[in-house]
């Protein structure tokens, strides 16, 4: 039962929201356009805000629903709660429906952490928003939020498993933003907000 729920959490996370949106709206494979990433930022750049917002909402829900609904089916054990959330994030990043090349996991992680550690997540969202506003780059906001989340978890004295998961997800986020980091260094990264 528990392992079936982990597999189901993975499949929920693996739902390729942006890929399907690109196909449905313009018949596009978003992996071949813009940054090539299957995330909401690329949807925004290629299809526009009205299509990106539903993608963000669904991607957040993919991280939120498994940790909100499934733990009650296995006695509310913290370890399984984190396993369900982690499986959803892995599914989003390595989706079997699109050749194990999904998004970067930021929105799905937001869904997970907003449920299990809301105040720390709210602070990390504040860091993301401030960095995006100052720099204009989504990548910088995402990277700084990923770095700050485990630090906020420590500040709020959350259980160690929460801190460990936040740190692991943060490392995944940094790895997935490797190309963005190179483009930032080279000065070729595309801004989200133009001032």
């Amino acid at each position: 039962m528990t392992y079936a729920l982990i597999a189901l959490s993975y499949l929920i996370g693996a739902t390729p929201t942006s890929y399907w949106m690109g196909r449905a709206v313009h018949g596009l494979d978003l992996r071949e356009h813009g940054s090539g990433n299957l995330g909401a930022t690329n949807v925004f750049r290629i299809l526009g805000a009205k299509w990106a917002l539903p993608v963000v909402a669904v991607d957040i829900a993919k991280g939120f629903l498994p940790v909100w609904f499934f733990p009650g089916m296995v006695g509310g054990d913290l370890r399984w709660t984190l396993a369900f959330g982690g499986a959803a994030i892995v599914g989003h990043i390595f989706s079997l429906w699109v050749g194990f090349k999904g998004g970067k996991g930021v929105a799905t992680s937001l869904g997970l952490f907003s449920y299990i550690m809301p105040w720390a997540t709210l602070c990390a969202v504040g860091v993301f928003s401030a960095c995006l506003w100052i720099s204009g780059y989504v990548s910088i906001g995402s990277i700084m939020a990923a770095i700050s989340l485990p630090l906020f978890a420590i500040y709020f004295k959350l259980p160690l498993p929460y801190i460990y998961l936040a740190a692991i997800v943060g490392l995944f986020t940094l790895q997935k933003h490797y190309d963005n980091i190179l483009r930032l260094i080279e000065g070729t990264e595309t801004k989200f907000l133009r001032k």
Side-chain angles (χ1 to χ4, degrees), residues 41-54:
T41 302
N42 203 33
V43 175
F44 179 87
R45 291 192 181 114
I46 305 302
L47 304 180
K50 72 175 181 178
W51 303 111
L53 290 176

Side-chain angles (χ1 to χ4, degrees), residues 22-191:
R23 285 296 193 191
V25 175
H26 292 299
L28 298 176
D29 184 342
L30 291 179
R31 294 172 298 179
E32 299 173 357
H33 298 273
S35 68
N37 180 253
L38 290 177
T41 302
N42 203 33
V43 175
F44 179 87
R45 291 192 181 114
I46 305 302
L47 304 180
K50 72 175 181 178
W51 303 111
L53 290 176
V55 169
V56 170
V58 173
D59 284 352
I60 290 173
K62 293 191 310 189
F64 181 88
L65 291 175
V67 294
W68 172 69
F69 187 68
F70 292 160
M73 302 171 70
V74 292
D77 190 303
L78 173 61
R79 293 170 300 174
W80 294 122
T81 299
L82 299 182
F84 298 146
I89 293 171
V90 170
H92 179 79
I93 296 174
F94 305 106
S95 172
L96 63 84
W97 309 118
V98 285
F100 298 97
K101 294 181 180 179
K104 294 178 180 174
V106 176
T108 304
S109 299
L110 174 60
L112 159 64
F113 290 115
S114 66
Y115 182 76
I116 67 171
M117 39 196 273
W119 288 110
T121 303
L122 183 61
C123 291
V125 169
V127 169
F128 170 86
S129 301
C131 290
L132 174 60
W133 179 254
I134 293 168
S135 71
Y137 295 107
V138 170
S139 54
I140 290 180
S142 299
I143 290 166
M144 296 308 297
I147 292 171
S148 68
L149 183 60
L151 300 179
F152 286 124
I154 293 171
Y155 174 79
F156 285 107
K157 297 182 173 60
L158 295 175
L160 281 177
Y162 286 23
I163 297 170
Y164 293 151
L165 182 62
I168 291 169
V169 170
L171 290 174
F172 261 109
T173 302
L174 290 175
Q175 190 277 327
K176 292 297 291 183
H177 282 84
Y178 177 77
D179 290 338
N180 301 86
I181 293 170
L182 290 181
R183 288 195 293 269
L184 286 167
I185 293 171
E186 295 167 355
T188 58
E189 178 76 328
T190 302
K191 283 194 173 186

